[in-house]
Amino acid sequence: MCVVPAGAEPTEFKENRIAMRDFLTRLGIEEMNPGASDGEWFGSGGELESFCPTAGERIAVVRQASADDYDRVVKRAGKAFETWRMTPAPARGEVIRQLGLAMRDHKKDLGMLVSYEMGKILSEGEGEIQEAIDIADFAVGLSRQLYGLTMHSERPGHRMYEQWHPLGIVGIVTAFNFPAAVWAWNAMIAAVCGDTMIWKPSSKTPLTAIAMQKIANRVFADNGHEGVMNLVVGRGSEVGERMLHDRNIPLISATGSCRMGRRIGEVVAGRLARSILELGGNNAIIVTADADPALVLPAVVFGAVGTAGQRCTSTRRLFVERSVFDRTAESLIKAYKSLTIGDPLDEKTHVGPLIDEGAVKEMEEAIAKAVEEGGEVLVGGKRCDRPGNFVEPTIIKAHKDMKIVRDETFAPILYLFEYGDLDEAIAMQNGVDQGLSSAIFTTNLLSAETFLSHRGSDCGIANVNIGTSGAEIGGAFGGEKDTGGGREAGSDSWKAYMRRQTCTLNWSRELPLAQGVHFDL
Ligand code: NAD
């Protein structure tokens, strides 16, 4: 199935690596990069190397933030907040409009960097930057719509209304698989809300963070604002933990595994601050007997193997109605056999590498466990015999008593189930701890509405005739249960980045008390 001969060092990787240095230079990535920025660049912590998951070469080294560096960044973000919060929201939106334009100018280079450092295919790398641009556009419009409600007061001559104020410094913790877009979902919205922020990216993808931060620094400096968007590259257990415990940070927005989310949720709740948690998924598609196979096939294959199964919304479980099970399984196996696995920068490639050796091991362990529990590998199932972290996208025929199907294995494994009636399929879909994304493929209105009803999908995202991955930024994004309950991006997600104030204004010459209480002096 692998297109490159076993054991060979693919020549296209070598050529790409040479071309690569050009775009790294254009993005300001050097051999040694300082990993903290509050407008200026510095870093006095240990060294962190970033490796290309495709061929394993070291791309560059980052000088991480020390505890002192972190404290300096917090100080600068706090100072910047004093002026940024007093800048009118539409003027803040104007800076974000310029940032969106700057990201457009660098879209190609940034997309290549995402692809090079994280391993997703080029069109997904560019798509990720497009998502960052889209959320910038959304935030620009939002900067003129940070509205509150007015209510009728029970007291005569009184007016009551809600207003929304900036919150302060927002801590943004991001996962490796969306090294640019997840920051943008948070940063663009937080910025127009009047917050300043500190970004702690994944240590697996620090260079993308540095490139995005450099662009932001330039745009903010041109507008006379520094310290609004800040970066600290460092380990979760060091800089990350410092941020969680820091009472200067009223909100931590964290994207990553459920394990990480539990820790962050506990610590942040322990100091009565807020968190937005965007955690792991275990997403499923239900295919009814009347579903259109021409839609099912591309949606399932892209959902399961896109980004090499390393999306929070990747399709991990597929429930197919008994009468169309064999036909669906056959067409999926055929499609999987035609996939091109290889260099993510090659436009013909469908599936790039996993992020690192650890991810390959986790996939191998999950497959072994599935087989032990009675699963049957229908296609794939192995690591590719070539350099880099390449694996074969895998389909496993599964049954509902298997424990492994309850876990999110961050790799291209699709568990395939047969079902009898829709209620059974919905129960199996909901019968896991995570609750991020879900979909049904059907041409039957009743099945579609049942899936979307109160007794249907229990996930934050529920789609009809659309796969589980690739959400648009206009809607609120996030999931229920162990996925953490947070919402980011569109709709009214902005409210989480602001503090609500209820104001009652007395324009009468009396002082009536609420609830008719008398207190005569
Ligand atoms: P991870 O949990 O290993 O790391 C995520 C981030 O948390 C990293 O920046 C890491 O350094 C940081 N971190 C870890 N421990 C920390 C601590 N104690 N304090 C502060 N920061 C800490 O996740 P990953 O492997 O980078 O990403 C994959 C996971 O992310 C998957 O579970 C995936 O589903 C999830 N994810 C969820 C969404 C979503 O929106 N729901 C989006 C993308 C990824």
Side-chain angles (χ1 to χ4, degrees):
M1 184 155 66
C2 301
V3 286
V4 176
E9 167 81 351
T11 51
E12 75 264 32
F13 293 170
K14 287 185 190 144
E15 283 155 24
N16 279 330
R17 273 181 235 159
I18 295 160
M20 208 57 56
R21 309 308 318 178
D22 289 351
F23 83 79
L24 290 177
T25 312
R26 283 198 294 278
L27 291 169
I29 305 295
E30 292 142 12
E31 271 305 310
M32 170 65 85
N33 303 270
S37 175
D38 55 12
E40 287 169 30
W41 287 91
F42 53 96
S44 56
E47 287 183 1
L48 171 71
E49 297 172 304
S50 183
F51 292 97
C52 170
T54 303
E57 82 269 20
R58 194 177 78 167
I59 310 173
V61 180
V62 178
R63 173 71 64 198
Q64 297 180 92
S66 64
D68 285 350
D69 296 332
Y70 170 82
D71 291 344
R72 170 180 159 174
V73 169
V74 173
K75 213 163 158 194
R76 192 77 182 273
K79 195 157 168 25
F81 180 60
E82 288 169 20
T83 46
W84 186 242
R85 68 180 167 185
M86 297 310 292
T87 306
R92 299 193 293 251
E94 167 56 19
V95 182
I96 297 306
R97 189 186 68 81
Q98 294 173 31
L99 181 50
L101 292 177
M103 290 191 290
R104 275 184 175 86
D105 288 345
H106 294 282
K107 180 177 164 185
K108 225 174 169 48
D109 286 341
L110 287 168
M112 278 182 106
L113 175 56
V114 168
S115 184
Y116 189 42
E117 189 180 38
M118 185 273 157
K120 62 179 69 174
I121 61 171
L122 191 55
S123 93
E124 289 187 81
E126 286 185 16
E128 170 156 4
I129 304 306
Q130 186 58 49
E131 198 169 328
I133 294 166
D134 291 344
I135 195 80
D137 287 354
F138 179 93
V140 176
L142 179 66
S143 71
R144 292 182 184 271
Q145 296 183 65
L146 301 170
Y147 50 78
L149 300 171
T150 59
M151 301 87 181
H152 286 242
S153 169
E154 67 187 49
R155 290 171 278 187
H158 284 57
R159 183 163 73 83
M160 186 158 61
Y161 70 102
E162 282 180 353
Q163 59 177 351
W164 294 84
H165 293 298
L167 197 56
I169 309 173
V170 176
I172 302 172
V173 177
T174 57
F176 79 85
N177 64 328
F178 276 92
V182 169
W183 165 74
W185 295 348
N186 287 281
M188 304 304 141
I189 303 292
V192 297
C193 289
D195 299 326
T196 57
M197 64 211 75
I198 301 174
W199 178 15
K200 197 215 82 60
S202 165
S203 298
K204 295 173 183 173
T205 49
L207 301 177
T208 304
I210 288 171
M212 297 300 279
Q213 181 68 35
K214 285 197 175 208
I215 293 170
N217 280 359
R218 260 198 317 277
V219 172
F220 275 87
D222 287 350
N223 285 276
H225 290 286
E226 284 187 356
V228 173
M229 291 185 174
N230 306 280
L231 178 74
V232 289
V233 176
R235 293 166 64 89
S237 53
E238 291 169 10
V239 179
E241 283 286 328
R242 203 169 175 83
M243 188 188 264
L244 305 190
H245 288 91
D246 188 345
R247 293 185 66 83
N248 293 300
I249 316 278
L251 169 67
I252 303 268
S253 178
T255 304
S257 58
C258 298
R259 191 168 54 87
M260 174 282 280
R262 258 183 214 105
R263 171 74 189 154
I264 292 191
E266 259 174 45
V267 174
V268 175
R271 61 178 174 89
L272 300 179
R274 297 189 203 168
S275 56
I276 301 173
L277 299 176
E278 296 284 358
L279 312 175
N282 191 353
N283 318 294
I285 293 179
I286 295 173
V287 177
T288 63
D290 50 56
D292 181 349
L295 301 187
V296 171
L297 190 68
V300 173
V301 178
F302 176 69
V305 313
T307 327
Q310 298 171 108
R311 284 190 185 214
C312 52
T313 51
S314 289
T315 310
R316 310 210 177 277
R317 297 172 299 139
L318 183 67
F319 300 102
V320 183
E321 207 273 343
R322 193 161 293 139
S323 64
V324 291
F325 183 87
D326 289 344
R327 184 183 81 195
T328 307
E330 270 164 36
S331 63
L332 280 171
I333 292 167
K334 193 164 163 230
Y336 267 53
K337 285 184 173 161
S338 72
L339 292 170
T340 303
I341 304 166
D343 183 356
L345 290 165
D346 183 335
E347 283 178 2
K348 292 191 292 297
T349 299
H350 297 109
V351 187
L354 293 182
I355 186 71
D356 56 20
E357 183 61 31
V360 177
K361 290 247 145 27
E362 276 176 31
M363 176 169 175
E364 287 174 331
E365 281 165 22
I367 293 170
K369 183 105 193 286
V371 171
E372 203 182 296
E373 291 184 337
E376 181 193 347
V377 176
L378 301 181
V379 63
K382 292 196 296 295
R383 171 182 206 140
C384 295
D385 187 12
R386 59 183 287 175
N389 312 315
F390 292 93
V391 293
E392 295 175 346
T394 298
I395 300 178
I396 297 178
K397 189 172 176 195
H399 60 83
K400 68 176 188 310
D401 297 328
M402 287 168 62
K403 289 202 186 73
I404 187 70
V405 304
R406 304 178 61 81
D407 294 345
E408 179 199 46
T409 302
F410 224 50
I413 303 176
L414 180 67
Y415 297 110
L416 183 58
F417 300 82
E418 190 176 305
Y419 76 84
D421 68 57
L422 186 56
D423 286 341
E424 181 194 355
I426 291 173
M428 285 199 285
Q429 188 224 256
N430 291 346
V432 292
D433 295 332
Q434 311 85 346
L436 182 52
S437 187
S438 61
I440 188 168
F441 279 76
T442 184
T443 51
N444 181 314
L445 179 69
L446 303 189
S447 302
E449 289 291 353
T450 302
F451 179 74
L452 297 173
S453 74
H454 300 325
R455 66 179 175 94
S457 165
D458 65 358
C459 294
I461 297 167
N463 296 332
V464 176
N465 294 329
I466 293 174
T468 57
S469 75
E472 294 182 29
I473 55 96
F477 181 89
E480 303 300 334
K481 304 191 291 187
D482 286 9
T483 302
R487 291 296 185 277
E488 288 173 0
S491 186
D492 63 352
S493 304
W494 59 271
K495 290 179 176 170
Y497 300 83
M498 302 195 83
R499 64 183 168 88
R500 184 197 309 237
Q501 190 168 59
T502 303
C503 308
T504 311
L505 191 147
N506 177 4
W507 54 276
S508 76
R509 294 193 175 275
E510 309 291 329
L511 193 70
L513 299 178
Q515 290 88 43
V517 172
H518 290 284
F519 191 76
D520 299 325
L521 290 175

